Amino acid sequence: MRLLKVIPFALLLVALVAAVPTQERSTRLLGTLQRHLARPAIPEGFVPRNENTTGGRFRTKIDHFNPQNRDTFEFSYFSNNEFYWPGGPIFIFVGGNFAMTTYYIEHGLLYDTAARDGAWLFTNEHRYYGASTPVPDYSTENLRFLKSEQALMDLIEWIDYLRNTVVGDPNAKVVLMGTGYAGALATWARQRFPSIIDGAWGAGATVLASFDFQEHAGDIGELIRRFGGNECYSMIWVAFRTAQYLIDAGLDQTVTSLLNTCEPIEPGKLLDVETLFYHLKLAIQEAMLGQQSTAKIRDVCEVMMNSTEETALHDLAGWLNVYYANLPCNPFDFDTNMEAAQVLQPGAPENALLGLRQTQYQACTEFGWFRTTDLDEQPFGDRVTMHFFLSACRALFGEWVTDAVIYEGVRLTNLHYGGQDPRSTNVLFTNGEFDPNRLVSITSYINPLSYAYVVPNEFLYSEIYSIAEEDSTELVTIKQSIQSFIGLWLGDGLTPV
């Protein structure tokens, strides 16, 4: 199953919140674009039907590093023993910053490999995400236990339970697989606990924390040049800078009118200006990359370039207002855009389904990945700076979040896990050539029983699905190599292609 067939994330949210007022719905819709960590997509029409899949709950400590704190909580997991035979391994699709799904223990390359190796498949839900909450609400104080290192301990203690209680084989070999942040967790678990984890595969694993991820905008710009053309790139470049110059010259009413913003854009309101340009960039990014197709980049560019408007800014504004045609106005002001991540109820869709507040907290305290437009070689202007993201962190979690706090969190994450040089064995990193997040992953890596593959002409996660007829020769070869590496970790002596 290819990513071209998945449900667009924004459309999923619209369906979930269709009953709320239009203004609130638009706020939540735009809130989805604030996510910093890639999530795996679920193919359209998927309904869990595997009779071998069952659910469970595992109880563990809220704080693994404080022996005086004896509080516990439960997180959810799913199990599929369809292919298991006694003595077989445990395969785990590691949970990350998303609600749990059974799809990847019922379909995909890991599932197919489990059939080959007689593995028992599991997937877990990361603390604070989905229905696995350790606290009554997501106030800033209650988010203090949301740390990757706490999540790793959850994972390891659960694996010990699976081996001894569920599978009944304390010596069962364990292979982890995850995507994005969860892919990083999988490889970090192998790094930290090599006596427990026999191998780990991170697809698009975002292992490098980054204070200012300015390269992201540059990479999207290169995709626009390559598949949309230099003229499209230049049109976007001119449109963004024209909007900037108009605001600077006091002609902000022109920008407000053209972009149909709900609140007037005023030069003195720096955060509103930054929020405006942040969402202009994200709208283009979502439209061009959301369907994981280079043809879509070309299509969006053609719509913009075929416009008969008088200026590049008019062309961009015309496209934007069609793209957000379901909204009476575009809520691009700072305060409105903070609302979705200020919801404290764990069961609210913003948190239980989308993980907005939790993801933002981890970005502000551990990972950064703030997608500024500080890089010169990109078409999206220069108004989205670290000031915007620092202000967002403070608005959501308090004035204690300073640039020093964020920088120190990023530095310590890379210090603890090694960034792009983890020096681990039995790990595999895979990334799509067109996925900008590969820049904070690992694309070149050689260590014992380890490797890194970049999938040519693909975006993200194409390698995690079953081998299919429409796969390129290169993609099939990489999928077969992944299976060979898993075989090596299990000790069957297969050689990667």
Side-chain angles (χ1 to χ4, degrees):
M1 184 71 69
R2 301 294 295 280
L3 281 173
L4 302 184
K5 302 177 182 177
V6 302
I7 302 173
F9 195 73
L11 294 182
L12 175 62
L13 181 61
V14 169
L16 286 167
V17 298
V20 301
T22 302
Q23 179 64 40
E24 186 176 354
R25 181 164 68 249
S26 66
T27 299
R28 295 182 181 183
L29 172 61
L30 292 173
T32 68
L33 300 178
Q34 297 178 12
R35 64 193 189 276
H36 292 274
L37 308 175
R39 294 168 167 83
I42 305 301
E44 185 176 1
F46 168 66
V47 177
R49 292 195 179 96
N50 194 314
E51 62 182 13
N52 298 285
T53 300
T54 58
R57 300 277 285 180
F58 176 70
R59 181 167 292 278
T60 188
K61 293 182 66 177
I62 292 178
D63 186 355
H64 293 283
F65 304 106
N66 180 5
Q68 297 181 36
N69 186 343
R70 310 307 296 174
D71 294 339
T72 62
F73 81 105
E74 289 184 336
F75 65 81
S76 302
Y77 70 89
F78 281 114
S79 162
N80 178 6
N81 65 353
E82 178 180 358
F83 304 119
Y84 180 73
W85 64 66
I90 292 171
F91 286 0
I92 296 175
F93 182 82
V94 177
N97 59 312
F98 43 81
M100 186 172 55
T101 175
T102 65
Y103 181 81
Y104 293 101
I105 63 169
E106 297 178 351
H107 301 274
L109 193 66
L110 189 69
Y111 173 83
D112 298 340
T113 311
R116 181 196 72 181
D117 295 332
W120 196 322
L121 289 151
F122 294 91
T123 187
N124 68 300
E125 193 161 62
H126 191 296
R127 59 168 54 205
Y128 284 87
Y129 290 93
S132 298
T133 175
V135 291
D137 65 67
Y138 289 159
S139 62
T140 300
E141 173 68 13
N142 282 343
L143 291 173
R144 67 190 185 278
F145 303 116
L146 178 53
K147 294 277 291 181
S148 60
E149 290 180 323
Q150 297 278 9
L152 283 176
M153 294 306 300
D154 292 344
L155 183 64
I156 293 302
E157 292 194 359
W158 174 58
I159 289 171
D160 182 64
Y161 166 78
L162 295 181
R163 275 175 156 175
N164 289 283
T165 304
V166 179
V167 176
D169 180 0
N171 298 313
K173 293 196 172 185
V174 178
V175 172
L176 305 182
M177 181 264 173
T179 61
Y181 163 55
L185 285 176
T187 62
W188 292 338
R190 165 62 190 176
Q191 178 194 56
R192 292 285 186 89
F193 305 98
S195 64
I196 298 173
I197 309 302
D198 294 278
W201 164 29
T206 49
V207 297
L208 178 69
S210 175
F211 183 71
D212 181 350
F213 190 13
Q214 58 184 270
E215 298 84 2
H216 189 274
D219 203 63
I220 293 176
E222 288 306 308
L223 288 174
I224 294 172
R225 279 190 190 275
R226 180 172 175 180
F227 299 106
N230 288 330
E231 189 176 358
C232 181
Y233 180 100
S234 297
M235 188 277 292
I236 295 171
W237 191 98
V238 171
F240 271 75
R241 281 156 180 81
T242 300
Q244 291 180 182
Y245 298 153
L246 287 172
I247 293 171
D248 291 346
L251 300 175
D252 43 278
Q253 290 184 350
T254 300
V255 178
T256 296
S257 176
L258 279 174
L259 300 180
N260 190 31
T261 62
C262 298
E263 299 294 332
I265 301 299
E266 300 177 15
K269 295 183 178 180
L270 178 58
L271 283 175
D272 285 349
V273 172
E274 289 189 295
T275 305
L276 166 69
F277 286 102
Y278 176 67
H279 279 294
L280 288 179
K281 170 184 175 289
L282 281 176
I284 294 172
Q285 176 184 322
E286 183 81 356
M288 290 185 173
L289 307 185
Q291 294 186 22
Q292 308 288 301
S293 167
T294 57
K296 188 62 177 178
I297 299 174
R298 182 183 64 249
D299 292 345
V300 172
C301 279
E302 286 181 354
V303 170
M304 291 183 182
M305 298 306 300
N306 290 335
S307 172
T308 58
E309 299 289 348
E310 55 187 291
T311 69
L313 179 57
H314 282 80
D315 292 338
L316 176 61
W319 171 83
L320 182 77
N321 290 320
V322 171
Y323 187 68
Y324 286 135
N326 63 314
L327 306 180
C329 59
N330 296 322
F332 290 164
D333 60 287
F334 181 79
D335 289 341
T336 298
N337 277 273
M338 292 300 102
E339 291 177 5
Q342 288 173 329
V343 176
L344 303 184
Q345 293 77 20
E350 294 90 341
N351 297 325
L353 179 65
L354 305 177
L356 289 181
R357 184 166 174 82
Q358 307 95 298
T359 294
Q360 290 287 354
Y361 182 80
Q362 289 193 275
C364 295
T365 57
E366 285 194 90
F367 304 122
W369 295 319
F370 297 124
R371 298 169 179 177
T372 70
T373 55
D374 290 340
L375 192 71
D376 291 336
E377 293 299 320
Q378 50 82 24
F380 304 110
D382 58 10
R383 296 302 163 89
V384 184
T385 68
M386 280 301 301
H387 172 262
F388 169 71
F389 294 103
L390 174 59
S391 298
C393 289
R394 287 178 169 175
L396 296 176
F397 307 114
E399 293 298 317
W400 64 274
V401 186
T402 64
D403 54 354
V405 167
I406 298 173
Y407 183 84
E408 183 71 357
V410 167
R411 186 188 72 83
L412 290 176
T413 296
N414 291 330
L415 177 66
H416 292 177
Y417 299 124
Q420 290 176 318
D421 184 20
R423 304 188 184 185
S424 300
T425 61
N426 292 40
V427 290
L428 193 61
F429 300 95
T430 59
N431 287 276
E433 179 187 0
F434 302 148
D435 178 14
N437 279 342
R438 76 187 185 285
L439 301 174
V440 290
S441 185
I442 292 176
T443 56
S444 178
Y445 190 77
I446 299 176
N447 242 358
L449 300 185
S450 304
Y451 203 69
Y453 292 98
V454 176
V455 187
N457 302 312
E458 296 287 347
F459 286 85
L460 71 165
Y461 307 151
S462 60
E463 70 276 18
I464 74 175
Y465 297 95
S466 299
I467 295 173
E469 290 184 5
E470 64 266 28
D471 288 349
S472 67
T473 301
E474 295 88 349
L475 181 55
V476 170
T477 298
I478 288 173
K479 288 180 178 181
Q480 291 172 340
S481 296
I482 292 168
Q483 292 184 311
S484 295
F485 268 104
I486 292 174
L488 281 172
W489 299 336
L490 299 178
D492 65 11
L494 296 176
T495 302
V497 178

